Amino acid sequence: MSKDQGRGASSPQLMRRANRQALLRLALRGAAFTAADAMAATGLTRATVLGVCAELVSAGWLEQVDGAPAGGSAQRGRPARRYALRSAAAVLAGVDAGEHTLTARVADLCGRTLATVHHPIDQAEPDPSADRTAMVTALIDRVLARAGVPGTPRVLTVVGVPAPVDQHGRSPHDDDFWQRMNPGFVDALGTVPQDGNPGAGPGSPTQRAAAGGAVLVENDANLAAIAEHAGGIGPHVATLMMGERFGAGLIVDGRLLRGASGGAGEMRFLDVALDDERGADGVAALARRWSLEALAGDGALDDGAGVAARSELARISPKRITAVDVFAAADRGDELARAVMDRIGDRLARISVILASLLGVETVVVAGAIADAVEPVLERARTRIPALTGPPHPRLVASMHGSEVVVRGAIELALARLREDPLEYLDQG
């Protein structure tokens, strides 16, 4: 708040809060600053800056630091006091609550990773998703312990789920899978809204846990898109999660698209657009399904020379074939596996053309655990796109974040919300 704005504040309390907010936003940029730096950035007077900084130091959110700024010239006389965010004063948590694996990460207030923990879900259980809330709660406790910060305030937790998420952090009831994946995390990990305001979306701090700060629940593909965007991929990008189902996080004009009930990026339209009742199946499902169909001799790959019989996939139990097996076999020259990968590449090309034509995205990022091995599929898709549409053609790339793209995006979202409205989370009053 500038000096002129300060004169229009309705009360000293509001002015004081605005001044704290301004200085915390400056501190959350990460660099140490002097009173002169703060005055230039916020428009506050020197006396106000020094007074508010003293309050924030006393509260534990700022600290005075020694040393001259990097690259600064020598100064005469007494050096100016410099302040910096006390990054260890609290932590942020991110959770990827995937179908098969849970991942939790804890970071400091500057976003530096302190610890990451993975927890595979035993699919042999009668209902492996029955205790997801208990598993996520326990995993957060584990990652905090591993980071050595179990008693440090956790001011914000972001949970990513493979389901659309509405403005209240809940998933639609018209799909049993969505309900299993998001069994009310925002209620289980948080309490009722602080002020009764549901907020404008999952990015709004609607729930505050009794001991763990605010809780946000977001779609996993959206978090993957946030991670890619934070890495500088560009302002028009679709990030595809390619597991059992295709799901997309969509950023257009630098903004995440959400849609009604958080449904933007759900790919069920592919069932119709691709003339395939299971068109939204992801890479894992497609690799398994098309391999089994070919091995069963449906004729699609029968060249009279026994392609199926020669395939190394024929030596794997049909119940155990995975996309990893198919990709590995294709890499070793297996004809059947290569044909399956070509079909997946063709489908990816069509999906990319649809997204580019409909939304104007320039880049399609393939993300998730499969990203490390997906380059042959991308190459096939790249060669197919010119035959499907004219330029400009979307650029296809694999995510550099591998299986941790969702939890990385969760921390990025937590940082963005903290920087946007520090006092909502740091509760400075």
Side-chain angles (χ1 to χ4, degrees):
M1 177 182 291
S2 70
K3 288 176 280 189
D4 290 339
Q5 289 172 320
R7 297 189 188 103
S10 60
S11 71
Q13 290 78 15
L14 288 178
M15 185 186 302
R16 178 171 170 267
R17 179 177 175 84
N19 293 343
R20 287 187 169 199
Q21 186 87 303
L23 287 173
L24 282 170
R25 283 176 176 156
L26 176 62
L28 283 163
R29 296 178 188 175
F33 60 91
T34 64
D37 297 329
M39 291 166 62
T42 66
L44 297 173
T45 66
R46 181 177 183 82
T48 298
V49 166
L50 293 176
V52 174
C53 283
E55 292 178 7
L56 293 174
V57 168
S58 178
W61 299 116
L62 296 186
E63 59 186 352
Q64 282 192 239
V65 295
D66 297 325
S73 58
Q75 290 183 325
R76 294 182 179 180
R78 183 177 179 181
R81 279 176 286 185
R82 300 174 66 236
Y83 301 91
L85 179 71
R86 187 168 164 261
S87 60
V91 295
L92 309 169
V95 178
D96 175 7
E99 180 180 5
H100 301 294
T101 303
L102 303 177
T103 301
R105 174 169 293 176
V106 62
D108 67 16
L109 295 180
C110 289
R112 290 183 287 259
T113 297
L114 303 178
T116 304
V117 174
H118 304 276
H119 176 73
I121 298 174
D122 186 357
Q123 298 300 308
E125 293 292 331
D127 183 359
S129 63
D131 296 319
R132 284 172 66 81
T133 55
M135 286 190 287
V136 166
T137 300
L139 193 64
I140 292 173
D141 290 340
R142 281 177 57 194
V143 76
L144 290 171
R146 179 168 295 183
V149 292
T152 302
R154 174 164 46 98
V155 295
L156 180 56
T157 300
V158 176
V159 182
V161 297
V165 177
D166 68 13
Q167 63 180 359
H168 306 291
R170 301 181 180 89
S171 297
H173 289 272
D174 56 353
D175 190 304
D176 290 340
F177 175 78
W178 292 343
Q179 284 297 299
R180 292 200 307 273
M181 294 300 99
N182 181 19
F185 281 128
V186 75
D187 299 311
L189 302 178
T191 61
V192 297
Q194 289 271 303
D195 56 5
N197 181 1
S204 299
T206 62
Q207 301 282 2
R208 190 169 299 279
V215 178
L216 312 180
V217 181
E218 179 59 281
N219 171 262
D220 60 353
N222 286 349
L223 292 179
I226 289 170
E228 298 296 337
H229 187 249
I233 195 68
H236 312 290
V237 59
T239 301
L240 290 177
M241 297 296 292
M242 298 176 65
E244 289 295 319
R245 299 279 288 178
F246 277 117
L250 306 170
I251 290 181
V252 178
D253 296 327
R255 298 174 62 88
L256 182 71
L257 300 185
R258 300 207 51 80
S261 300
E266 290 299 317
M267 309 291 278
R268 289 182 293 179
F269 74 91
L270 294 175
D271 298 343
V272 176
L274 299 179
D275 195 24
D276 183 340
E277 64 180 12
R278 294 168 61 184
D281 278 358
V283 166
L286 291 174
R288 184 172 59 249
R289 171 159 64 100
W290 285 343
S291 294
L292 292 175
E293 289 174 355
L295 290 169
D298 68 354
L301 299 175
D302 187 4
D303 63 354
V307 171
R310 292 197 303 271
S311 175
E312 65 180 77
L313 298 178
R315 298 191 291 274
I316 302 175
S317 168
K319 295 181 179 180
R320 299 182 60 186
I321 289 178
T322 67
V324 173
D325 298 321
V326 177
F327 280 35
D331 188 54
R332 289 189 286 268
D334 188 287
E335 295 173 77
L336 186 148
R338 282 189 170 181
V340 169
M341 289 187 68
D342 283 347
R343 288 186 70 185
I344 295 173
D346 290 345
R347 175 149 296 188
L348 177 58
R350 292 181 180 277
I351 292 171
S352 299
V353 167
I354 290 171
L355 293 173
S357 176
L358 185 64
L359 299 171
V361 298
E362 297 173 321
T363 304
V364 176
V365 181
V366 174
I370 203 73
D372 292 341
V374 81
E375 184 57 34
V377 173
L378 297 183
E379 186 57 36
R380 170 65 179 181
R382 294 185 191 111
T383 63
R384 287 287 295 141
I385 285 176
L388 296 173
T389 187
H393 298 141
R395 181 171 65 109
L396 270 63
V397 298
S399 171
M400 299 297 291
H401 303 310
S403 61
E404 297 194 345
V405 65
V406 174
V407 75
R408 180 184 290 265
I411 294 296
E412 288 292 346
L413 178 57
L415 285 169
R417 293 297 176 258
L418 179 64
R419 291 164 180 166
E420 178 183 336
D421 191 357
L423 292 183
E424 176 60 41
Y425 303 101
L426 302 183
D427 193 26
Q428 285 298 303

